[in-house]
Amino acid sequence: MAEQEREREHVRVAVIGSGFGGLGAAVRLRREGITDFVVLERADSVGGTWRDNSYPGCACDVPSHLYSFSFAPNPDWPRAFSGQRHIREYLEQVADVFRLRPHIRFDSEVKELRWNTAELHWEIETVRGHLTADVVVSAAGPLSDPKMPNIPGLDSFEGKVFHSARWDHDYDLRGKRVAMIGTGASAIQIVPAIQPEVGSLTLFQRTPPWVMPRADRAISGVERWLHKQLPFTTQARRGLLWGIRELQVQAFTKRPNELGLVESLAKANMRRAIKDPALRAKLTPDYRIGCKRILLSNTYYPALAQPNVDVVASGLSEVRGNTLVASDGTETEVDAIIFGTGFHVTDMPIAERVIGAEGIALAEHWKGGVQSMRGATVDGFPNFMTVIGPNTGLGNSSMILMIEAQLNYLADYMRQLDVLGGKAALDARPAAVTAWNAKVQERMKRTVWNTGGCTSWYLDENGVNTTVWPGTTTEFRAATKRVDLGEYEVVRPPKPVEAAAASAAPAASAASAAKPGRKKKAEAGA
C-alpha cells in the first residue's frame, strides 16, 4: 500500500470541471505562478453547461460583453445575447489562448475525494486512476446535473423521453406530438424553436413565469471593428452593462414593491402577443416579478398563441402508456416528452463524493442546510474550495462577475498557504461559517426571492434560500478580496504519535485524533 501511495501522482491543485468556473480557476492559478495543477473534466471537451445544453434555441439571457471574462474580452461577439454555440467556442478559445489544454484531463470523472489528515492532502479517485492534491477547487457548478422528476408510470411510456440538458439530436421531432414539461429558462427557448416543426406541442405549466422582451440584435461589423481597434470601447460597453445591473439590485434586495412597474411592462409584453383572454389568464403569474427568475424572450408568447400549441396550467402528475395526466385531470396523448425541469442546485451530487476531515460526506454535512463561508469554503473540509458555491447566484446580472470575485479569493488563499510555509492547510472555523451565513440570511429576509410569494429553485426543501447573493457584485467582490486567517484554523501535520494513531484508527476516528479539540472549539464559538 505504501509503495502504491508513493507512485501516485501528486499536484498542488486539482480543479474539477472545465466550464467558466474551472477554466477561470486554471487561468488564475497560472497568473499566480502556479503551474502544478490539473483540471479534471468528466466529458471529452470543455464548456460545462454550455457544452451540455445544446437544445434548439439555447442562448444566454445576459449580454455577451458581460458574460465573458474581464481578462479575456471578446470583441467579436456576433449578437448582443449570444447563442450556445458562440459561448462554447469562446470557452474553447480561452482554453487555447491561455494554454490550458496540457493541464486538462478529459473523460476523468471524479468518483471520490477524501481528505487524508495524516498527509494533509486530498486523495482523488477518478474513473481513469488516482492522484493526490494539496488543494481541491470544485467548479462542478450548480447547473451540471439535470433533475428528472419522479413521475408515476413514466417507465411505461413507449415514446421518447429526454431532458433539455441531454438533448437527443438523433430524434426527429417533425410532425410528432410533443409534451414540454416545465416553464423555466430552457423551456421558453425550446418552445418557439420546435413549435413550427412539431405536429402538436403541449406545455405542462406548473407555474407561469414572468417574461420580458429580449433586446437582442446582431452586433454590426462596424461595432466589432471598433472593439478590435480600440479595446477600451469593449471595456466601456461592459462597464455600462454592469453599472445598469448594479443599480437594479436595490429593487430586488431591499424594495421589492418598486418592481410593480416592471410587472406592468411584462403584462404589456404578454398582451401584445396573446389576444385570447383565457390564455392570458393561464400565463399571468400570481407572485411578485423577480421572485422566480425573470425570463427574456420575444418569441415565447407568439409561439404559445399558435394553433398547434396547448397550455395545460398544471403540472404533470402521472403517465399511463402514451397518455400524460396533469394534476388537474387533463389527459394528453404524445409521442415524446421533453423535461425542462432544471438541475440539482441545492443538492449537488458532487457533495456525495467529497469526504472531509471527520470522515463524513459533504452531502451529509449539509443535510441540515447548504452553507459555506463567502460561497467558497466549508468547515471540516480543509483546502477545499467551491466556485459558484452557496449563496453566490444572481437574479439580474452575470455569474462571471461572481466567479471572478471567487477567483480573487482563491488566489489569496494560495498566497496565505505559501506565507504559512511548510505543510499546512486551512479549515474554516464553524463559528465563522455560521456567522457569515447568519448575516446572509438576515439580509435575505427582505429580498423579493423570499417575500415575493413563489416557490423557486432558489429555495431548498426547508424553504431557505441557499442559492442567491442578497447584494451587489461590488459587495461580493469586496467580501472575497482577501482571506481573513481569523476565520480559519491552521492545520499542521500530526505529530508522529498522533500519526501512528491515525493510521491505525478508522477514518472517522483518524480525523478526530488528528484534530483534537475541534468540536470543543466549535461549541465554544472559537
Side-chain angles (χ1 to χ4, degrees):
M1 177 64 75
E3 186 176 344
Q4 291 176 347
E5 289 291 331
R6 283 196 299 271
E7 293 175 352
R8 186 174 297 178
E9 178 188 11
H10 180 79
V11 294
R12 178 73 167 135
V13 184
V15 179
I16 303 173
S18 67
F20 269 100
L23 294 181
V27 172
R28 192 55 190 267
L29 288 171
R30 296 220 24 185
R31 292 174 72 184
E32 290 296 313
I34 300 171
T35 58
D36 183 18
F37 69 89
V38 294
V39 178
L40 302 174
E41 169 55 56
R42 66 183 178 184
D44 60 1
S45 59
V46 303
T49 192
W50 293 105
R51 175 199 60 236
D52 296 341
N53 287 269
S54 60
Y55 57 79
C58 183
C60 189
D61 58 5
V62 174
S64 303
H65 288 87
L66 194 58
Y67 200 77
S68 48
F69 291 120
S70 63
F71 55 79
N74 179 15
D76 222 17
W77 287 116
R79 301 196 64 84
F81 291 84
S82 290
Q84 175 263 346
R85 179 171 67 87
H86 293 108
I87 296 173
R88 185 177 179 184
E89 288 174 356
Y90 170 77
L91 289 171
E92 294 278 3
Q93 184 180 21
V94 168
D96 289 333
V97 169
F98 291 93
R99 300 179 181 178
L100 301 179
R101 294 194 185 277
H103 298 275
I104 303 174
R105 309 280 178 85
F106 292 115
D107 300 310
S108 297
E109 182 174 5
V110 173
K111 296 170 66 177
E112 183 181 88
L113 298 166
R114 184 176 291 273
W115 178 250
N116 185 318
T117 302
E119 299 294 334
L120 291 195
H121 66 215
W122 285 94
E123 297 180 354
I124 306 169
E125 181 184 357
T126 76
V127 294
R128 299 187 63 154
H130 304 267
L131 70 153
T132 59
D134 294 330
V135 177
V136 168
V137 180
S138 176
L143 305 183
S144 57
D145 291 282
K147 178 180 284 188
M148 289 284 284
N150 184 18
I151 306 295
L154 183 60
D155 291 343
S156 70
F157 185 68
E158 298 174 356
K160 190 70 179 178
V161 179
F162 53 88
H163 191 279
S164 60
R166 300 292 184 266
W167 195 271
D168 188 340
H169 291 278
D170 294 328
Y171 183 74
D172 189 356
L173 290 171
R174 286 177 296 181
K176 299 292 196 307
R177 299 168 299 176
V178 179
M180 181 77 228
I181 314 301
T183 53
S186 300
I188 73 155
Q189 295 177 345
I190 293 169
V191 166
I194 67 173
Q195 175 271 320
E197 65 181 49
V198 301
S200 64
L201 178 59
T202 303
L203 177 68
F204 285 78
Q205 171 192 269
R206 189 173 58 183
T207 308
W210 284 104
V211 181
M212 294 288 287
R214 181 186 180 89
D216 190 23
R217 65 175 179 83
I219 297 177
S220 69
V222 173
E223 289 174 276
R224 291 154 75 174
W225 177 87
L226 187 65
H227 290 330
K228 289 177 184 176
Q229 300 302 315
L230 301 172
F232 76 87
T233 61
T234 306
Q235 297 170 0
R237 186 173 193 156
R238 178 186 176 89
L240 178 62
L241 293 168
W242 166 78
I244 292 171
R245 280 155 181 77
E246 288 290 272
L247 293 174
Q248 296 171 345
V249 172
Q250 294 286 342
F252 286 85
T253 60
K254 295 181 180 179
R255 296 187 288 272
N257 289 334
E258 292 183 359
L259 292 166
L261 174 61
V262 184
E263 284 185 10
S264 300
L265 296 174
K267 288 178 179 178
N269 180 48
M270 186 192 303
R271 285 195 299 271
R272 282 192 291 270
I274 306 296
K275 305 303 181 185
D276 179 7
L279 181 56
R280 273 206 309 270
K282 286 183 180 180
L283 299 175
T284 302
D286 62 358
Y287 55 88
R288 175 63 75 194
I289 193 169
C291 182
K292 292 170 74 75
R293 184 174 174 183
I294 299 174
L295 306 181
L296 305 179
S297 177
N298 300 324
T299 55
Y300 179 62
Y301 286 143
L304 296 184
Q306 298 306 308
N308 68 331
V309 179
D310 183 33
V311 178
V312 176
S314 181
L316 177 62
S317 66
E318 186 182 356
V319 177
R320 299 173 189 160
N322 277 19
T323 300
L324 308 192
V325 184
S327 299
D328 64 1
T330 302
E331 296 187 3
T332 308
E333 192 167 335
V334 299
D335 303 307
I337 305 174
I338 303 170
F339 284 96
T341 45
F343 300 84
H344 290 275
V345 176
T346 59
D347 57 342
M348 293 182 287
I350 187 69
E352 299 173 358
R353 308 178 189 186
V354 184
I355 313 299
E358 305 293 346
I360 64 171
L362 182 57
E364 180 69 20
H365 182 79
W366 275 344
K367 208 165 187 180
V370 175
Q371 61 178 22
S372 68
M373 182 148 63
R374 303 179 190 275
T377 54
V378 184
D379 55 291
F381 295 79
N383 282 7
F384 177 81
M385 184 174 293
T386 57
V387 176
I388 315 183
N391 289 113
T392 60
L394 295 175
N396 74 312
S397 193
S398 172
M399 280 305 301
I400 312 306
L401 301 170
M402 301 296 278
I403 288 173
E404 290 198 33
Q406 290 198 291
L407 299 183
N408 291 339
Y409 198 71
L410 167 63
D412 197 53
Y413 192 99
M414 299 305 297
R415 291 186 209 118
Q416 295 295 341
L417 287 176
D418 287 341
V419 169
L420 287 170
K423 194 77 170 174
L426 293 176
D427 190 1
R429 293 182 182 273
V433 177
T434 299
W436 170 259
N437 283 276
K439 189 188 304 180
V440 169
Q441 293 304 324
E442 181 62 30
R443 293 185 63 181
M444 198 72 72
K445 288 179 180 178
R446 58 195 295 191
T447 67
V448 68
W449 307 299
N450 279 37
T451 65
C454 73
T455 300
S456 72
W457 57 267
Y458 298 150
L459 309 179
D460 66 12
E461 58 184 7
N462 299 313
V464 179
N465 192 328
T466 61
T467 306
V468 185
W469 168 246
T472 64
T473 62
T474 302
E475 290 175 297
F476 189 75
R477 191 185 311 124
T480 53
K481 186 176 182 180
R482 291 187 181 87
V483 170
D484 178 1
L485 283 182
E487 295 180 330
Y488 288 88
E489 195 175 332
V490 178
V491 185
R492 295 288 186 180
K495 295 176 182 178
V497 173
E498 292 175 321
S503 63
S509 299
S512 301
K515 296 185 65 178
R518 171 181 167 76
K519 292 185 178 179
K520 291 182 180 178
K521 286 182 183 178
E523 291 167 2

